[in-house]
Amino acid sequence: MKRRDIIKGLTILPLASGFIGKAAVLHTTPIPVSTPKRDFFKELDVTPVINAGVTMTFLSGSLMLPEVLEAINSTSHDFANMYELQDKVGARIAEMLHVEAAMVTSGASCAIVLGTAAAITGTNQDKIKQLPNLPGPRPEVIMQKTHRYLFDQAVSTTGAKIIEVDGPEGMENAINSNTVMALFFNAGEKSSITHEQFLQIAKKHSIITFIDAAADVPPVENLFKFQKMGFDLVTFSGGKMIHGPQSAGLLFGRKDLITAARLNHSPNEAPIGRPMKVNKEEMFGMYAALKAYLEKDHHKEWDDWLQRAKHIGARLETIPTVKSKIVVNPGPANAFPSLYVTWDQTKVKTKPKDVLAALKSGTPSIVANGHNDTLIIGVVLLRPDQIDVVASKVKAILQQVV
């Protein structure tokens, strides 16, 4: 879960006083929704969840934008040649991101598989067919020891061996004839090698560089930052704060590597990425999501998040001893504001873990976070109609034990 750890390295901003009117907190964030003709949650007895946390895959990521749903629904009635669609969508995404080439993948983990495969095989069809069981020594991918994380299994899926290094000298010494790629985990807790050092050493030895920045928007500038630095391949999740399909992601960078990655992917028959299909609706949806994300007013969205947090905090602070602060995680992952709530537990006789349990088991079910004696309420994924629901539920739970 390190990618999504919003606890460490926090900057705390004071909560503005005063009640924030409902109109001030409901002016953005998207999400849909007309009354459905058929309630599949009820039909399948699945509990709808209000996400007062962060983007987590087990909670279905984020909610898709109306533009994404429109793209999915409007393209679901016709067939398309998937090679042509990936060509056209990839070209348009590359144009938007100012890169040589891009493709839609089934999430950032798939992008890591495909990027690693591309570094190993290039466009060699024999190698593509043989992955992950190439004859001879295993291909090697360099990673900083402090950058090892849950998702680097995507690298070894290709048959590559991860070589851990510590510091610039360690990276220099680790490079050999079997080295095919160097992977930088952008949300790693600590880096013994800076971005600049990493790129300098890799380029000196003509080693492909890949950066995993899956959860690293906002800010929107990060979508352009790493290719400008010189990374050969970059990946972002599509189903996090870009609000695209949960199962979609972006892989972009050097044209020759994207060409090779596509040869290792569906709809080509039987390469390593064949099981990681992206359907046509997801491709259209990812294109629509990225376009909408790049065009939105990010300053207005940020102000909206702050107003939401202030609004909830003001309601909770009507309970004696309850205090709240807006906390902005400096990133690089999950770099957005959340509301941190504390209270005197001798007066309000409950612990954050008990509040979390009550929220989760309630109706509606609300998932938030906590750390030690702090309740953490995420605001960026709430629908406008859910802001007061969350505030009311938390307040009711706290008032019961005063």
Side-chain angles (χ1 to χ4, degrees):
M1 299 297 181
K2 292 179 182 178
R3 176 197 300 282
R4 307 173 178 87
D5 186 354
I6 63 171
I7 302 302
K8 298 178 181 177
L10 297 171
T11 301
I12 299 181
L13 304 177
L15 178 64
S17 60
F19 181 82
I20 306 298
K22 184 183 295 186
V25 297
L26 300 185
H27 68 267
T28 63
T29 308
I31 323 260
V33 231
S34 58
T35 302
K37 296 179 180 178
R38 185 174 172 185
D39 189 340
F40 286 96
F41 280 94
K42 185 175 181 180
E43 185 173 322
L44 296 174
D45 193 27
V46 174
T47 304
V49 173
I50 293 177
N51 188 350
V54 296
T55 55
M56 298 291 285
T57 296
F58 86 93
L59 280 179
S60 61
S62 60
L63 300 182
M64 290 183 285
L65 296 167
E67 294 92 333
V68 177
L69 294 175
E70 180 185 13
I72 289 171
N73 291 330
S74 66
T75 59
S76 64
H77 307 291
D78 292 291
F79 294 93
N81 181 301
M82 298 300 289
Y83 294 104
E84 179 191 12
L85 179 58
Q86 187 73 284
D87 281 345
K88 300 292 177 61
V89 168
R92 192 63 64 87
I93 289 173
E95 181 181 323
M96 289 191 285
L97 295 178
H98 308 150
V99 292
E100 290 182 10
M103 64 184 293
V104 179
T105 64
S106 58
S109 288
C110 170
I112 296 171
V113 174
L114 297 179
T116 307
I120 295 169
T121 68
T123 58
N124 186 306
Q125 288 294 336
D126 290 334
K127 290 184 178 181
I128 290 170
K129 291 176 183 177
Q130 290 171 332
L131 281 188
N133 300 307
L134 284 174
R138 289 175 66 185
E140 295 180 359
V141 172
I142 287 175
M143 288 188 69
Q144 296 180 59
K145 188 179 296 184
T146 53
H147 283 202
R148 294 300 304 273
Y149 64 129
L150 292 173
F151 302 101
D152 64 31
Q153 188 176 12
V155 172
S156 53
T157 296
T158 66
K161 179 181 180 181
I162 296 174
I163 305 298
E164 296 181 354
V165 300
D166 187 15
E169 186 177 353
M171 182 173 175
E172 282 271 9
N173 294 336
I175 294 173
N176 60 64
S177 60
N178 298 323
T179 307
V180 295
M181 192 177 82
L183 177 63
F184 196 104
F185 175 39
N186 200 51
E189 291 183 10
K190 297 178 181 178
S191 293
S192 62
I193 311 168
T194 66
H195 293 89
E196 293 76 16
Q197 291 169 331
F198 193 86
L199 289 166
Q200 182 182 19
I201 295 167
K203 291 187 182 304
K204 174 182 173 182
H205 297 277
S206 300
I207 301 300
I208 293 165
T209 52
F210 191 155
I211 187 166
D212 174 10
D216 298 358
V217 289
V220 63
E221 291 80 16
N222 278 357
L223 285 169
F224 306 91
K225 178 179 180 179
F226 304 113
Q227 64 266 31
K228 288 180 180 178
M229 280 185 180
F231 281 93
D232 298 310
L233 288 171
V234 183
T235 186
F236 282 87
S237 288
K240 291 186 170 63
M241 295 306 290
I242 298 176
H243 288 280
Q246 161 62 8
S247 51
L250 296 169
L251 177 64
F252 53 92
R254 270 174 39 188
K255 186 174 182 179
D256 62 318
L257 293 173
I258 298 300
T259 297
R262 286 187 55 185
L263 290 173
N264 278 281
H265 197 215
S266 179
N268 296 288
E269 294 185 355
I272 197 166
R274 173 71 180 196
M276 306 169 192
K277 290 181 181 179
V278 182
N279 67 35
K280 73 177 193 296
E281 291 82 7
E282 290 170 320
M283 289 191 187
F284 282 114
M286 192 64 249
Y287 160 71
L290 181 62
K291 189 173 189 295
Y293 186 75
L294 292 174
E295 292 176 352
K296 75 165 56 176
D297 186 336
H298 295 278
H299 294 292
K300 181 179 179 182
E301 180 179 59
W302 188 270
D303 288 342
D304 175 65
W305 292 339
L306 294 177
Q307 294 303 317
R308 291 165 173 231
K310 291 174 185 177
H311 175 67
I312 295 173
R315 291 197 59 185
L316 298 181
E317 286 189 346
T318 60
I319 302 171
T321 78
V322 172
K323 303 296 180 184
S324 61
K325 292 179 180 179
I326 296 175
V327 175
V328 179
N329 178 19
N334 301 311
F336 42 69
S338 297
L339 185 70
Y340 277 47
V341 184
T342 58
W343 55 87
D344 182 344
Q345 293 180 20
T346 65
K347 305 292 185 182
V348 181
K349 297 176 182 179
T350 189
K351 297 181 182 295
K353 66 177 183 179
D354 299 320
V355 176
L356 292 172
L359 287 170
K360 185 177 180 181
S361 62
T363 303
S365 177
I366 299 171
V367 174
N369 292 308
H371 180 60
N372 295 332
D373 290 328
T374 302
L375 175 69
I376 304 172
I377 301 173
V379 297
V380 301
L381 297 175
L382 299 178
R383 295 199 319 250
D385 61 296
Q386 295 172 339
I387 297 167
D388 276 327
V389 173
V390 171
S392 296
K393 291 291 183 181
V394 175
K395 184 175 181 179
I397 293 167
L398 294 177
Q399 284 178 325
Q400 286 177 356
V401 290
V402 173

